[in-house]
Amino acid sequence: MKRLSILFCTVLTGLVLMGADGCSSDPNVEGAKLDLRNKDYDRALENLETALRTNPNNADALELKGQVLSEKAFSTEDVTEHVSLIGQMVEAFRAAMSVDATREPTVERSLSIAYVNEFQRGIQAFNRARNDNSQYGIAATYFGTAATIRPDSSGAYVNQAYALMNAGNAADAIGPFEKAIETGDTELDTFRFLADLYLRNGREAEAVPLLERASGMYPDNVDVQNELLNAFQVTGQIDRAMALYETAVERDPENKLFRYNYGSLLVRLERYDEAIEQLLEAIRIDPEYGNAQYNLGAAYINKAVNVNNRINEVDDNLRTNRSSMTAAQISAAEAEIDRLAEERRGLFQSAIEPLVAARRIMDASGESTTGVCQALYQSYVQTNQLELAQTIAECAGYSDN
């Protein structure tokens, strides 16, 4: 988990009640102070409510009420009750400052102590979750309450989001991640996790500007550049993706991932010659790049399929119009078919080497090679290497056994 460290990492106790030794004009407030010393929180709150009914703007009573609620909250292990008490505490403290602005230093000190203690509860619950997954949800609750105490604390929101993700409530982590960024978080992981959640929850359009912002902050980070390119593709912004790929490759031509992604997009756009160029560069940089080897083989095969479609077009035209064609026209069409057939065979032959490499690399890493073997089987058959095709028939799922 990220950012489970804070400036004050020790639970702070033993609050010094500001004004506890002074005199108050309201005997109910004085009684509440004594009740608090005796840890009789309910009686203290009763006294304070009496005082506030008499004077709703009694700043002494409001601040003391916040202190009583704070101590009561941290004395209970019941999560629901605790959260309710913390909410009331924040309301009382803010009311005290609203009534008397001079109380801001003491109230802010009390809120800071409560924040640290609440954050610690979140950390402790998160650590307990190693043995009990249900504790992730409790940790998220505590971090969320810490954010209630300090709404400008990005750390509370981020840790709440991580706890929610670990609890299996990834979609619920979107809000806390958004709040973290709103409150000044600039950690790359925050942007990346949020963008991924957008993409997986039907909010793809929001992922792009978020990743563009992250890319601007971390221009040399390969992962965020790759994720931005993916977001462009998912949202159909192919032109923007192409422009970014071109810039990325120009800026860092020895980056195999940029070459691979650019080449793979070009395959998708059926710009096979350009795709092959980029994928060849990717495997020049890293010959053991299995995905690049596979996509290079796929580029050759896809181009071969396009050539085959052209053969069918020429052949269909020849069959349909032979009777009206001159001998020279028939001869030209047949020559074109032969030329295209040889080109098709050459492309399938070119696909074999990278596909063999891809199979070897993927086998070594324990990945499924069925798709590679199917492509390789097709390439062997199209180049009339039937014995080799049979050697991988089982891998391709074409075996009769």
Side-chain angles (χ1 to χ4, degrees):
M1 185 183 70
K2 288 277 187 181
R3 218 168 311 128
L4 284 189
S5 59
I6 51 177
L7 293 178
F8 306 102
C9 60
T10 303
V11 176
L12 304 181
T13 58
L15 305 188
V16 177
L17 302 181
M18 304 308 294
D21 295 326
C23 295
S24 172
S25 60
D26 192 319
N28 290 298
V29 174
E30 293 303 315
K33 292 176 183 178
L34 179 60
D35 295 330
L36 180 55
R37 290 192 187 96
N38 294 328
K39 299 189 182 301
D40 190 345
Y41 306 122
D42 291 336
R43 183 175 174 80
L45 290 171
E46 288 174 8
N47 274 317
L48 291 168
E49 288 306 316
T50 300
L52 289 167
R53 278 196 297 271
T54 302
N55 178 13
N57 292 326
N58 187 327
D60 285 334
L62 289 168
E63 184 173 358
L64 185 58
K65 181 181 178 182
Q67 293 168 342
V68 173
L69 288 165
S70 179
E71 286 209 21
K72 184 177 181 182
F74 288 107
S75 71
T76 180
E77 294 302 319
D78 183 275
V79 178
T80 302
E81 181 185 7
H82 173 84
V83 170
S84 175
L85 290 167
I86 290 293
Q88 296 173 57
M89 175 203 76
V90 171
E91 184 180 350
F93 278 139
R94 289 177 181 164
M97 284 193 293
S98 176
V99 169
D100 182 1
T102 65
R103 293 178 180 269
E104 182 175 353
T106 58
V107 169
E108 288 296 334
R109 178 179 179 275
S110 296
L111 286 170
S112 293
I113 292 170
Y115 172 79
V116 171
N117 288 341
E118 193 70 4
F119 206 101
Q120 279 288 80
R121 281 202 168 200
I123 293 172
Q124 291 161 1
F126 198 99
N127 290 337
R128 290 195 301 271
R130 296 170 185 169
N131 301 313
D132 178 4
N133 283 343
S134 68
Q135 292 292 314
Y136 283 123
I138 294 173
T141 297
Y142 285 139
F143 287 127
T145 312
T148 298
I149 299 169
R150 286 292 187 212
D152 58 348
S153 168
S154 62
Y157 294 117
V158 168
N159 283 304
Q160 181 187 22
Y162 287 139
L164 286 166
M165 291 176 69
N166 279 279
N169 300 321
D172 292 339
I174 291 175
F177 274 134
E178 289 175 332
K179 291 295 292 184
I181 291 172
E182 276 181 37
T183 52
D185 189 287
T186 58
E187 287 290 326
L188 179 57
D189 280 349
T190 303
F191 285 81
R192 292 180 62 201
F193 277 122
L194 179 55
D196 181 63
L197 290 172
Y198 281 153
L199 290 170
R200 290 193 283 126
N201 287 277
R203 298 172 62 176
E204 296 86 354
E206 294 172 82
V208 170
L210 184 71
L211 288 168
E212 285 181 314
R213 182 176 168 188
S215 176
M217 293 189 295
Y218 298 91
D220 297 323
N221 186 280
V222 173
D223 290 332
V224 75
Q225 299 295 333
N226 186 45
E227 287 159 14
L228 176 57
L229 293 169
N230 177 63
F232 279 142
Q233 292 186 61
V234 169
T235 56
Q237 300 182 61
I238 301 301
D239 289 343
R240 296 187 69 187
M242 286 295 296
L244 191 57
Y245 275 126
E246 290 170 6
T247 301
V249 169
E250 288 173 5
R251 186 179 69 247
D252 189 2
E254 293 301 303
N255 187 304
K256 67 177 183 180
L257 183 60
F258 289 165
R259 293 282 192 178
Y260 166 75
N261 283 335
Y262 192 18
S264 299
L265 179 57
L266 288 164
V267 170
R268 177 178 169 181
L269 296 175
E270 299 185 10
R271 292 164 58 175
Y272 299 120
D273 290 338
E274 295 167 86
I276 289 166
E277 179 183 351
Q278 294 300 324
L279 292 166
L280 282 170
E281 283 298 301
I283 63 173
R284 175 190 63 78
I285 297 166
D286 181 5
E288 296 301 300
Y289 197 171
N291 288 339
Q293 295 277 15
Y294 186 12
N295 279 10
L296 177 58
Y300 283 124
I301 289 175
N302 288 345
K303 184 178 180 182
V305 170
N306 272 8
V307 171
N308 189 68
N309 291 337
R310 177 60 183 153
I311 291 173
N312 291 335
E313 290 174 4
V314 175
D315 186 56
D316 288 344
N317 182 65
L318 181 60
R319 291 173 183 274
T320 302
N321 300 302
R322 179 182 285 270
S323 61
S324 61
M325 296 171 67
T326 65
Q329 289 173 324
I330 293 172
S331 178
E334 290 174 340
E336 176 69 358
I337 291 172
D338 289 342
R339 184 191 69 76
L340 290 170
E342 186 60 28
E343 181 182 355
R344 178 186 60 191
R345 184 183 184 284
L347 288 167
F348 277 113
Q349 183 63 46
S350 295
I352 291 173
E353 182 178 350
L355 290 173
V356 169
R359 183 190 181 194
R360 172 182 57 77
I361 295 165
M362 294 168 75
D363 262 336
S365 63
E367 297 177 65
S368 171
T369 58
T370 302
V372 179
C373 288
Q374 289 174 346
L376 191 53
Y377 183 93
Q378 181 183 16
S379 299
Y380 282 143
V381 169
Q382 292 295 329
T383 54
N384 203 32
Q385 300 179 73
L386 301 183
E387 289 184 5
L388 287 173
Q390 286 305 309
T391 64
I392 61 164
E394 184 175 354
C395 171
Y398 300 146
S399 174
D400 293 332
N401 295 330

